[in-house]
Every structure is written in structure tokens, then in C-alpha cells.
Amino acid sequence: MSSPKAYPTVLLTGAGSGIGLNVLGQLLEKHSGTRVQVLTLFPTPELTALEQKYGPSCLNTVYGDACDTEIVAKAVKATISNYGTMTHLISSVGTMLPVQSIREVPLGEMRKIFDINFFSVFDLVQRSLPHLSAWGEGARKPTVIIVTSGVDYDVLYRGWTGYCTSKAALTRFIHLLAHEEPGLEVYGVLPLVTKSPMVDKIFNGEYDHVMRPEERERFNTWAREGKIEPPEYIAESIVKAATGQITPASKEVERNDCGALFIGSLYQKQ
């Protein structure tokens, strides 16, 4: 019988919808033997269907807020209790809200977006580090995969201060995690514009009163050119990194000077 560590044992956050849900589905459907402990905010029909299909031997779920330190601790403990190990940590939590100008955004809302996009991930990683272990043939390094955003550096949209600055902090955290933990493979994930409820709000005009017309028009242009990607695309890159199909030497990877590895639509090479 194969050792449980021959397959990835994953703690995955943000799996109720979007990128996270697609990562979960692809891990379970394409990689038999993978076990996944999910931490997500609330049940969705798609997630419930996967729970019923695969059962607790492959999939368990803790429901709750990733910003709640007790919930995060519960999810980490459940991973070890249910599966005896943790070889992978995949974080796909995130929000774009609030979309408001610097003059108008309440400080409390800015703190909230940092809680979701940065501090919840920091807490998750810190609590998981003692439990991450090698896996597979050749004892592959434990793996941490964090979805961040290409808005972290030079992208400018009016009203996006919270999103851009919190993602900048998260990307820098990925650099430093790789620097401090050379025994891990640390991947940052940088999607292009991905179809999601956040992007849908842009097309529905919910932010037209904040974003400048030329900024809003960029999204219309990308939609006409077919450049709004479905979440399946970036989820596939994440799953390939988690299962060893993308490695540090792969053409899809950019290595930061700190040792962090970046994958995603921004780095798809021909």
C-alpha cells in the first residue's frame, strides 16, 4: 500500500467559489489519492456536491471566517487529525472591497481588507508551518501556494487603494517567506483578469462612480479581446504546481531573487 505522503495532503482556503473551487475540483478529479482539508466561509452547492461525491476520506471542510484565528487554528488541527500530515498549503482568499477613493474610504474598511487579503494569510501560514512535511517520491519539499495579484506593483485604478496595497503587502510576504524558509517551495500566483464576482461588479457598473472612464474601458476592451480568463485557467496552473507538474525549473515559473517562485497567466511563456 502506498504511503499517504505519496500524495498531496492539502489545506485549501477560499474553496467556495472561483479559483479556489476550481483548484479543489481539479485536485480531486484529476489526481486520485489527494486529500484536501478546506477552510471556507460558507457552504455552496458546488462545494457540497464535491463533499458528497468524494466523502471524508478525500475531502473535509471547516466552515468559518479565515480572519478568525480560532477558525484557522481549527482548520490546521483538522488537517492533521483527519489525514495525519500536511504537505501543501494553498491560499486563495481575497476581496477587492472596498472600492472607494482615498478621500472617502473609512479607515475601518481599509483595516478589513488588510485583514482578509494579508493578515488572514499570514496567520494561516504561521500556524501551518510547524505541520508541513515532505511528500511523494524523492521526498519533495512541502509547498505553499498563495494567490496574490498583479495589481501589487504598478497597476493604477481610482478607488483600488485597499486592494492594491494589501496585495503588495502579500506579495512581499511571499518573498520573505521564501527567503526565511528555504526548505519549502513557495509559489506566488499572479493571474491576469479572471472572471469572478469582483470583476462582474465592474461590468455591472457598480464602480463607475469611482473608477475613471478610461480605466473602466480597459475592462471592456479586454472582454472584447477575450482576455477575461475563466478561473479554470489559473486553477490549472496552481494544481500543476501542487502535483509536481510545474517545478522550479519549468518554463512557467519566474524565480524571484528571494527564492520565491511565481506562476500564473502573467508568466506563461511560449
Side-chain angles (χ1 to χ4, degrees), residues 38-44 47-48 51 61-65 71 74:
V38 164
L39 167 58
T40 199
L41 189 57
F42 50 76
T44 62
L47 179 53
T48 299
E51 289 177 302
T61 305
V62 168
Y63 291 106
D65 189 345
I71 294 293
K74 180 180 178 181

Side-chain angles (χ1 to χ4, degrees), residues 105-250:
V105 62
L107 180 59
E109 291 297 305
M110 284 292 292
R111 286 177 172 150
K112 184 176 180 180
I113 195 171
F114 268 82
D115 280 343
I116 296 170
N117 288 353
F118 178 74
F119 289 114
S120 72
V121 182
F122 182 95
D123 183 41
L124 177 73
V125 170
Q126 189 177 60
R127 291 177 186 275
S128 299
L129 283 175
H131 304 285
L132 285 162
S133 59
W135 68 286
E137 296 181 4
R140 296 174 178 170
K141 289 182 178 181
T143 303
V144 176
I145 302 174
I146 299 172
V147 178
T148 182
S149 174
V151 305
D152 58 1
Y153 178 57
D154 58 359
V155 172
L156 297 172
Y157 294 112
R158 191 173 187 275
W160 286 35
T161 296
Y163 188 56
C164 293
T165 57
S166 60
K167 289 296 188 177
L170 184 61
T171 298
R172 190 63 176 143
F173 171 68
I174 293 166
H175 297 163
L176 292 163
L177 177 64
H179 178 67
E180 290 192 11
E181 299 287 342
L184 302 178
E185 298 287 12
V186 179
Y187 287 92
V189 181
L190 293 164
L192 286 176
V193 181
T194 302
K195 182 171 175 52
S196 67
M198 292 188 291
V199 172
D200 289 342
K201 290 178 184 293
I202 297 173
F203 287 109
N204 292 339
E206 294 187 35
Y207 308 136
D208 285 0
H209 65 292
V210 183
M211 295 176 64
R212 292 173 177 160
E214 64 270 22
E215 296 170 349
R216 172 68 168 78
E217 182 57 30
R218 290 176 204 164
F219 288 84
N220 293 334
T221 300
W222 291 329
R224 289 193 297 269
E225 295 174 349
K227 294 181 179 179
I228 308 295
E229 295 187 342
E232 291 86 351
Y233 286 9
I234 195 64
E236 183 178 13
S237 293
I238 294 170
V239 169
K240 284 182 176 180
T243 55
Q245 297 173 77
I246 289 177
T247 69
S250 298

